[in-house]
Amino acid sequence: MTEAEFIAALRRMPLHPGARGLVDDSAVIDAGPLVVTTDTLVEGVHFLPDDPPADIAWKLVATNLSDLAAKGALVEGVLLNYPLGDSTWDRAFLDGLGTVLTCFDTRLIGGDTVSKRGPRTLTLTAFGRDAAAPSRDGAQDGDALWVTGTIGDAGLGLAIAQAGHGPVALRDAYRRPFPRLSEGRALGPIVHAMMDVSDGLLIDAHRMARASGLAVTVALDRVPLSEAARAFGGTDRAARLAAATAGDDYELLFALPAGIAPPVAATCVGSFGPGGGLILIDSGKPIPPPPRWGYEHAPER
């Protein structure tokens, strides 16, 4: 698939007015203050070599939109950097890209194409507007720690994708995460701190606490598991530890004053207090944190 053919296919996507029909090297955005985020997916690191290209397109867009959700933003549009390679793969990716852009009412602004060399490396940059933009460093002593949705489905889904068998719903949780955009809009103006759970509940809770200069206590027995996860992976301590450290959940993790109920479906999984570090409890009793708290590109503890 040539660059011209690929760009011609992109012109059939939902386009941002500032894209100017993808005939220029630059786009023009007039939307006031913008929230900007970018994510890169690398073959063999963030997705499996045999994951369907349409699912990879979905995940590339969804992970970026999840960052916008954590800022309470409306989606303005996205830029795509894409390595052209196998034509069949490229066309399947384009099909998935059109699906995910339409699903989340997201418009393509532009991007760049290069020739593929080595493992596929895909980069998307997303722009949001009208954002409350809570930071991860605003948690306060006494705040409760909440999380939307359920935790651990994607971790089980990755294992299922690697094995080639298991519940499809769990596999799809890994391949096609769903950014919590409407929840982010509702929470943005009222939370003290918010971020998405990308690398694991424990490590991301610790990151929020550390940025806020506090300690965080996480109650392992409160970590919400889906019915599919309970049936497939169990509910014992080992299963909950696996769920809390697996990552790829893309739920929203947020801090609210104690006694304040969030306006969205969510579960209280802990609290913030003075000091530093991560305190893990199970049924009210302290337990040793696991050696691995989540996914890390490099050691940070």
Side-chain angles (χ1 to χ4, degrees):
M1 195 173 194
T2 66
E3 180 181 34
E5 290 171 333
F6 190 83
I7 294 173
L10 290 178
R11 291 193 180 106
R12 296 191 289 271
M13 303 286 171
L15 293 183
H16 190 281
R20 296 178 170 180
L22 300 182
V23 298
D24 208 339
D25 284 337
S26 299
V28 177
I29 304 174
D30 182 14
L34 293 173
V35 174
V36 183
T37 184
T38 190
D39 263 325
T40 297
L41 300 186
V42 179
E43 183 179 357
V45 179
H46 303 97
F47 62 90
L48 301 175
D50 58 353
D51 280 345
D55 289 345
I56 296 166
W58 179 288
K59 189 169 188 176
L60 179 65
V61 174
T63 56
N64 276 270
L65 298 190
S66 182
D67 284 332
L68 295 185
K71 298 305 170 195
L74 290 173
V75 181
E76 180 66 23
V78 296
L79 293 169
L80 171 69
N81 288 356
Y82 187 83
L84 289 165
D86 175 79
S87 292
T88 301
W89 205 98
D90 293 343
R91 289 189 173 93
F93 178 90
L94 284 167
D95 287 343
L97 182 65
T99 297
V100 68
L101 293 180
T102 301
C103 180
F104 295 111
D105 193 22
T106 298
R107 297 172 294 178
L108 185 66
I109 297 172
D112 191 26
T113 55
V114 296
S115 297
K116 178 182 175 295
R117 296 289 187 271
R120 285 184 176 84
T121 301
L122 309 166
T123 298
L124 196 88
T125 300
F127 299 86
R129 57 183 168 81
D130 298 334
S135 177
R136 68 173 61 178
D137 66 356
Q140 299 179 19
D141 183 8
D143 278 356
L145 177 68
W146 295 79
V147 68
T148 61
T150 57
I151 296 296
D153 282 10
L156 293 173
L158 172 59
I160 289 166
Q162 290 169 325
H165 57 83
V168 172
L170 293 175
R171 184 202 65 191
D172 288 350
Y174 152 68
R175 287 181 174 172
R176 294 202 172 205
F178 204 91
R180 298 290 190 174
L181 289 163
S182 61
E183 290 89 341
R185 291 289 291 172
L187 291 167
I190 65 170
V191 299
H192 286 162
M194 187 159 64
M195 61 189 292
D196 68 341
V197 181
S198 56
D199 293 331
L201 177 64
L202 295 189
I203 197 169
D204 287 331
H206 178 250
R207 286 168 175 162
M208 183 181 289
R210 184 176 60 187
S212 302
L214 296 168
V216 64
T217 298
V218 175
L220 192 63
D221 53 303
R222 293 187 193 171
V223 173
L225 304 179
S226 70
E227 289 301 319
R230 290 169 178 267
F232 185 75
T235 61
D236 61 8
R237 181 178 293 179
R240 290 182 179 275
L241 281 172
T245 56
D248 263 359
D249 295 300
Y250 299 102
E251 297 291 347
L252 295 179
L253 189 69
F254 57 97
L256 275 178
I260 301 297
V264 302
T267 302
C268 181
V269 293
S271 61
F272 294 91
L278 170 71
I279 302 163
L280 194 59
I281 62 174
D282 191 7
S283 300
K285 298 179 181 178
I287 62 172
R292 177 183 175 276
W293 295 358
Y295 181 79
E296 298 177 272
H297 288 282
E300 68 174 48
R301 304 198 308 279

